[in-house]
Every structure is written in C-alpha cells, then in structure tokens.
Amino acid sequence: MTWGKEIRERAIQLLIERGLTESNLRLISETLGPSVNSLRNWWFLIREHGLLGPKRVRTTLNRKMRDEDLIFARICIETEPTLFMREVAELIYMENGYIYETWEVRDSLARIGYSSKAISVMARERNEGLRDLWREHVTGELTVSAREYVFVDESHISAQEAKRRRGWSQAGERAWVRSTLGDRVSCSAVTSMAMYGVLSVSTFDIVDGDLFLFALETDILPLMNRADDPYSTEPVPMSILVMDNAATHLKAAVVALCLARGVRVLFLPPYSFDLNPIERVFHLAKHYIRNHWGEVSMDHPLKEQFEEALFNCVTPSIGCRLYQDAGFTISNADIAWVKEYEIPE
C-alpha cells in the first residue's frame, strides 16, 4: 500500500522526535496506519540521506562487523539470550551509532560460534555450589561405589500420554484415530532403581506423603541392604537411598524409617533433574508403552501398563549408562556386579 506524502512526513517527524524504539514504532503505526516495517524502512531511508547523523554502514565483501560492534553484540546476547537480531542491531545503533542489517549481525555472531537454538529453562532456585559438591562426591577419589546408590522418585502418567502421537495418512489429509475425548484416566508410580535396573514399582491413583511412606516401607527398603554392616569391608550394594527435595521426601518419618533399617539417606541439590538417573527411566517407560502398542495395549489397566513398562525399559547395560550420564564414576567392580543381573540371551 502506498502512503501519502503528508502521512510519510508526519511519521518521519515523529520518528525524529521520539526515536527508533519498538514502543514508538507500534504507537506511530497504530496512530497513522503504516506498518512497523514501513516505518523502519523510512527511518533507514532518511538515515541514508544524512538527516539523522551517521549513514548506514556499508559492509565489505567479507561482511564482517567492526570488532567493537561484534564485542558489544556478544555482550548483549550473553546478557539477554532471547534478543532478536533486529533488537541487537538497534542496541548497536544506540550504543555506537552504526546500523547493520539483521543478517549481518547473525552471520558475524555465527563466525565466532554463536547460533540460535531452543531455550532451555533453568530454575532460579538451582544452586550451582551444591551441584558441584554433589559431582565431587560421586566422582572424587573418596567417593563410595556407584552400586551403593538407589534412587527413588514418583512419576505420573495419563491415558493421553500413553497413546501414540503420530500416524500415517494420505498426503494433505489428517491421520484420524477414534478415541474417547476427555479421557482422564491416570495413575502415579513410586519407583526405585539401582544400577542394574528398576527395583520396585508401587502404583497409586495419586501419591501423597502417607502412600510414599507405605511404598518405602513395604516395597523399597526390604530390597536394600544395611550400610552399617560391621562385617563388611567392601562397599555394600544398594545401601544408600537418594531422593530429590519433594515435600513427600523431606518428612522426618521418611528419614527415621530409613535410618532404622540401616539405610543411609542423601538428598539431591534442588532442581537437579539431570543428576537423577530415574528421571530418564520415566521417559523411557512412557516411550516403551507407545513403542510396544500391540504387546502393552490400552485394553489393560493403565497401572499395569506403566508397571510393566518401568520394569522392562531398563536393562543392566542401560542402567549403568544412566548412572554414568548422571555423573557417577563406574568402576570395574561396579560393572562386574551389574553383569550378575544380566539375563543371558
């Protein structure tokens, strides 16, 4: 759409008075009608004719930004990783008076190793100091054996999560599957795992503090060994229980029950899912249900499906690898212990 001379002149005048900011661009666009992109193009046009000071930077054939502008751009994206390249270009202009196209900023940052990618969210409550102490504990010279650790946690699954998410159909058509809309069937599982795989699974409709304590007393602790065995000179397998900081785990009754059975208790640093191998087990179990649709069908109760998937999705070799990914140092003695639980083919 072509805008009249009066509107263009008025818009340019407002840009000169108010400056090139997103809020001003939107306000002028809503007031006079031209799009934000049109206003930005007019701004660059008057910049080219020297009405606002420095002209647009003309890049050379290698398309490199000035070193000081590139350093400033790097500081901008390290300070605020969610900035658009257009916003970085505007910040460079406001700081140094030079104008770059967005592709010039993007390509220059790519040359020094920066690229755009999906945002990974990190909790503000995460304590890097505690995480470093935990890594030092499981990888340092004075660490106990990895086979001593048992991890426990809860997971929830719904009928919708258990269903396959992709299907086949003719090109240009939807892949329809008949299903009961609004199906709210779901269940939760208190699961424990050692290096060789899943130890126990206790399924409930929903887990609270009392049910977690019940599962701990009846299903998990009977499978563990006492850490204070005076006759043992070697690391005692499955004698240390590791939990996250969920409210159901922090109750005094939970710790007292474990200590009464001779089991040591450790808590992971807050919001450290990557240090807990059982988190990956829950993901593998949900994938197992979808992958073995014919063997673990929706005709069976969801609790049975989830329990079967949890026990079958982790082999001794996978469990050992999950512990390694969580930061543990795996010794030859640990590998030999895990191999005792492998089922011969």
Side-chain angles (χ1 to χ4, degrees):
M1 182 176 181
T2 303
W3 298 95
K5 181 180 178 181
E6 294 182 359
I7 292 180
R8 290 201 305 272
E9 291 179 349
R10 178 59 177 160
I12 290 172
Q13 181 182 359
L14 291 173
L15 286 173
I16 294 173
E17 294 175 355
R18 297 173 179 269
L20 184 69
T21 63
E22 284 300 310
S23 58
N24 289 339
L25 287 171
R26 287 194 295 268
L27 179 61
I28 297 172
S29 175
E30 294 172 359
T31 304
L32 300 180
S35 67
V36 171
N37 287 334
S38 296
L39 294 172
R40 191 175 287 110
N41 290 337
W42 295 347
W43 173 274
F44 290 147
L45 182 62
I46 59 178
R47 164 71 65 191
E48 289 290 345
H49 288 81
L51 300 179
L52 294 176
K55 292 185 178 181
R56 179 191 301 272
V57 172
R58 294 297 184 182
T59 58
T60 57
L61 292 177
N62 57 8
R63 298 176 179 176
K64 288 184 178 179
M65 296 171 59
R66 299 191 313 164
D67 289 342
E68 53 266 41
D69 294 334
L70 183 56
I71 293 173
F72 180 75
R74 186 184 65 184
I75 293 173
C76 289
I77 62 174
E78 288 181 351
T79 304
E80 181 50 65
T82 60
L83 287 174
F84 289 149
M85 290 296 98
R86 168 179 52 78
E87 295 170 329
V88 176
E90 292 173 0
L91 289 172
I92 293 173
Y93 164 72
M94 288 187 286
E95 178 70 17
N96 299 333
Y98 279 77
I99 295 179
Y100 293 99
E101 299 288 354
T102 56
W103 61 268
E104 292 175 313
V105 180
R106 182 186 65 246
D107 292 352
S108 297
L109 288 171
R111 290 191 185 97
I112 59 174
Y114 287 86
S115 63
S116 177
K117 51 184 68 71
I119 293 293
S120 298
V121 180
M122 181 188 301
R124 295 183 185 275
E125 296 83 356
R126 175 178 282 190
N127 189 318
E128 292 301 329
L130 291 178
R131 287 168 56 83
D132 291 339
L133 289 175
W134 174 264
R135 294 191 187 96
E136 183 179 350
H137 172 73
V138 298
T139 60
E141 296 180 357
L142 300 179
T143 183
V144 291
S145 172
R147 62 183 181 274
E148 295 184 74
Y149 292 83
V150 172
F151 288 82
V152 61
D153 204 356
E154 308 87 36
S155 181
H156 186 80
I157 187 173
S158 65
Q160 295 300 322
E161 289 181 280
K163 295 176 181 177
R164 292 187 173 180
R165 301 172 183 174
R166 302 183 65 86
W168 291 87
S169 66
Q170 289 285 341
E173 297 181 1
R174 291 177 177 268
W176 292 102
V177 174
R178 291 190 177 275
S179 178
T180 303
L181 299 179
D183 189 354
R184 298 184 181 275
V185 176
S186 62
C187 71
S188 299
V190 178
T191 308
S192 61
M193 75 166 297
M195 275 187 63
Y196 66 83
V198 172
L199 286 178
S200 66
V201 178
S202 305
T203 54
F204 307 97
D205 292 333
I206 191 168
V207 178
D208 57 16
D210 294 335
L211 289 178
F212 176 79
L213 194 62
F214 172 79
L216 185 66
E217 183 177 10
T218 59
D219 297 332
I220 300 174
L221 291 179
L223 300 175
M224 299 185 64
N225 302 311
R226 298 185 66 90
D228 55 356
D229 187 355
Y231 302 102
S232 176
T233 58
E234 295 293 329
V236 181
M238 299 187 299
S239 60
I240 302 175
L241 189 67
V242 184
M243 298 177 284
D244 60 22
N245 293 268
T248 54
H249 303 162
L250 296 175
K251 290 187 174 183
V254 172
V255 178
L257 179 62
C258 294
L259 296 180
R261 299 290 184 90
V263 173
R264 291 177 56 195
V265 179
L266 292 177
F267 290 97
L268 287 165
Y271 297 94
S272 298
F273 311 106
D274 55 321
L275 302 180
N276 192 347
I278 203 169
E279 297 288 349
R280 296 270 300 277
V281 173
F282 296 139
H283 172 77
L284 292 173
K286 294 174 183 180
H287 177 73
Y288 181 94
I289 293 176
R290 292 190 292 268
N291 194 39
H292 294 76
W293 186 263
E295 304 168 29
V296 188
S297 69
M298 291 299 296
D299 296 333
H300 296 92
L302 186 60
K303 290 182 180 180
E304 294 182 11
Q305 296 178 56
F306 201 25
E307 182 175 348
E308 179 180 343
L310 285 166
F311 277 118
N312 293 332
C313 69
V314 181
T315 62
S317 59
I318 292 177
C320 190
R321 190 160 62 249
L322 292 179
Y323 268 60
Q324 281 183 312
D325 293 342
F328 282 87
T329 299
I330 308 300
S331 65
N332 292 331
D334 293 330
I335 296 175
W337 180 76
V338 167
K339 286 184 177 180
E340 297 178 4
Y341 294 88
E342 290 184 348
I343 300 176
E345 298 182 358

